[in-house]
Amino acid sequence: MKIPDGAKLVFKGVIFEVYQWQQKMFDGSLATFEMLKRPDTVQVIPIVGDKILIAEEQQPTKEQFHGLFGGRVEESEHPLDAAKREFLEESGYEAQTWETLKVYTPYHKMDWTMYMFVARNCHQVQKPQLDPGERIFVKEVSFDEFIDLVISKQFWGKEFSLDVLHMKLDGQLAEFQSRLFGP
Amino acid sequence: MKIPDGAKLVFKGVIFEVYQWQQKMFDGSLATFEMLKRPDTVQVIPIVGDKILIAEEQQPTKEQFHGLFGGRVEESEHPLDAAKREFLEESGYEAQTWETLKVYTPYHKMDWTMYMFVARNCHQVQKPQLDPGERIFVKEVSFDEFIDLVISKQFWGKEFSLDVLHMKLDGQLAEFQSRLFGP
């Protein structure tokens, strides 16, 4: 959810801000409520021919994992610009067309929006330029491999995993494939 | 994940604590890393005959929703004791036997564990005793209704939703039903 109007910033860290406000309860009494704000994030599903690019990634505090390209939206940056920047930095690729696939708000007590984009007709234009806290390898997978990755327990982004599991149960994966690979 | 050894508490709010530490990056440089700690939580799946009890709930900052009974573990409280306390307060019920069903850590940047219990042979012993920030109604549902609730978009606890969707896809729901309702 969004930080309520009138909430007061009580701490600002390197990622998280903490806000508090007085919330009226059902009996009319007041209680101090608290929630967090963190930078919004972007994720990219890049299409190359009939394949999808994914990131094989290592970070200092995580096990190796497969995920989508993406990262944090910087202050006053538009989410689509952040998606293009992160995708270029992490993969060295650019895309001809971009489309917003989905917008998620993963955690109730946190003002945090995650934007998911499809990047179509991707082609490599440079070498990846990684941060010192990133090790990323670009991997091409088929649509079926992509779906298996997204619904695996290791995948980051439970909301997207849930959507894809629902599509699988409801027989909507072929439609989703057409949606991703475009007209 | 757990707060790393040596991390420093830099803010303590009413729910969240913020910790920071110096993290060595892949090139040997250091960066300030940050993560959160919040009270652990418990959730209860109460069995009454061939039915499951769920909570129809309103809170001051949320839409009405259906969920499991439960809440926060208090300081130095054992998770099972918290589950018994929250279940009694919210429903007025007690159970004859308790079993840990699953333990989740929902969010990577937060030291937060969610314990899920099955409470069997439940019976009402008093009226619910609700906090001023709670409106809860007890509802009896069948196993199939319970599954539909858990996999619905409104359900709180994406990890459990994912588990149940996987069970549904893999044809393991009958086994899960036996597991819940016990020997």
Side-chain angles (χ1 to χ4, degrees), chain B residues 6-132:
Chain B
K8 200 180 135 192
L9 176 68
V10 292
F11 177 79
K12 187 176 170 60
V14 295
I15 303 176
F16 296 103
E17 296 177 344
V18 184
Y19 288 82
Q20 292 180 347
W21 71 96
Q22 294 301 306
Q23 176 70 45
K24 204 174 198 173
M25 309 306 273
F26 290 125
D27 66 353
S29 65
L30 292 173
T32 303
F33 269 41
E34 189 173 81
M35 65 176 283
L36 304 156
K37 188 175 165 63
R38 58 154 293 161
D40 289 338
T41 51
V42 291
Q43 292 200 313
V44 181
I45 302 176
I47 308 294
V48 178
D50 62 349
K51 302 282 189 188
I52 295 170
L53 301 183
I54 61 163
E56 193 176 289
E57 194 158 352
Q58 291 170 26
Q59 288 184 15
T61 64
K62 293 179 190 170
E63 299 280 302
Q64 178 172 315
F65 62 101
H66 290 93
L68 305 184
F69 297 96
R72 291 184 207 154
V73 180
E74 294 182 357
E75 214 159 324
S76 78
E77 188 180 34
H78 190 281
L80 177 58
D81 293 331
K84 290 178 180 175
R85 177 182 52 72
E86 288 283 350
F87 179 47
L88 179 63
E89 285 171 11
E90 291 183 346
S91 72
Y93 279 69
E94 283 182 350
Q96 266 177 16
T97 60
W98 289 80
E99 190 192 332
T100 306
L101 185 68
K102 202 83 197 246
V103 177
Y104 295 105
T105 51
Y107 182 56
H108 175 70
K109 286 181 191 299
M110 205 181 282
D111 186 336
W112 168 30
T113 303
M114 201 276 279
Y115 300 86
M116 184 173 279
F117 296 94
V118 186
R120 297 205 185 88
N121 293 312
C122 299
H123 51 279
Q124 197 167 6
V125 295
Q126 64 179 47
K127 283 195 174 169
Q129 302 185 314
L130 301 177
D131 292 334

Side-chain angles (χ1 to χ4, degrees), chain A residues 65-109:
Chain A
F65 63 102
H66 290 93
L68 304 184
F69 298 95
R72 291 183 206 155
V73 180
E74 293 182 357
E75 216 161 322
S76 78
E77 189 180 34
H78 190 281
L80 177 57
D81 293 331
K84 289 177 180 177
R85 177 183 52 71
E86 287 283 351
F87 179 47
L88 180 63
E89 285 171 10
E90 291 183 345
S91 71
Y93 281 68
E94 282 182 351
Q96 267 178 16
T97 61
W98 289 80
E99 191 192 333
T100 307
L101 185 68
K102 203 83 197 248
V103 177
Y104 295 105
T105 51
Y107 182 57
H108 176 70
K109 287 182 190 299

Side-chain angles (χ1 to χ4, degrees), chain A residues 11-135:
Chain A
F11 178 79
K12 188 176 169 59
V14 295
I15 302 176
F16 296 104
E17 295 176 346
V18 185
Y19 288 82
Q20 291 180 349
W21 70 96
Q22 294 301 306
Q23 176 71 44
K24 203 175 198 172
M25 309 307 273
F26 291 124
D27 65 354
S29 65
L30 292 174
T32 302
F33 268 43
E34 187 173 81
M35 66 175 282
L36 304 156
K37 187 173 165 63
R38 57 154 293 160
D40 289 338
T41 51
V42 291
Q43 291 199 314
V44 181
I45 302 176
I47 309 292
V48 178
D50 61 349
K51 301 284 188 185
I52 296 171
L53 301 183
I54 61 163
E56 194 176 288
E57 194 159 352
Q58 292 172 25
Q59 289 183 15
T61 65
K62 294 178 190 169
E63 299 281 301
Q64 179 172 314
F65 63 102
H66 290 93
L68 304 184
F69 298 95
R72 291 183 206 155
V73 180
E74 293 182 357
E75 216 161 322
S76 78
E77 189 180 34
H78 190 281
L80 177 57
D81 293 331
K84 289 177 180 177
R85 177 183 52 71
E86 287 283 351
F87 179 47
L88 180 63
E89 285 171 10
E90 291 183 345
S91 71
Y93 281 68
E94 282 182 351
Q96 267 178 16
T97 61
W98 289 80
E99 191 192 333
T100 307
L101 185 68
K102 203 83 197 248
V103 177
Y104 295 105
T105 51
Y107 182 57
H108 176 70
K109 287 182 190 299
M110 205 181 282
D111 187 335
W112 168 30
T113 303
M114 201 277 280
Y115 300 86
M116 185 173 278
F117 297 94
V118 186
R120 296 203 186 90
N121 292 313
C122 299
H123 51 279
Q124 197 167 5
V125 296
Q126 65 180 45
K127 284 194 172 168
Q129 304 185 314
L130 301 177
D131 292 334
E134 292 175 328
R135 269 183 190 156

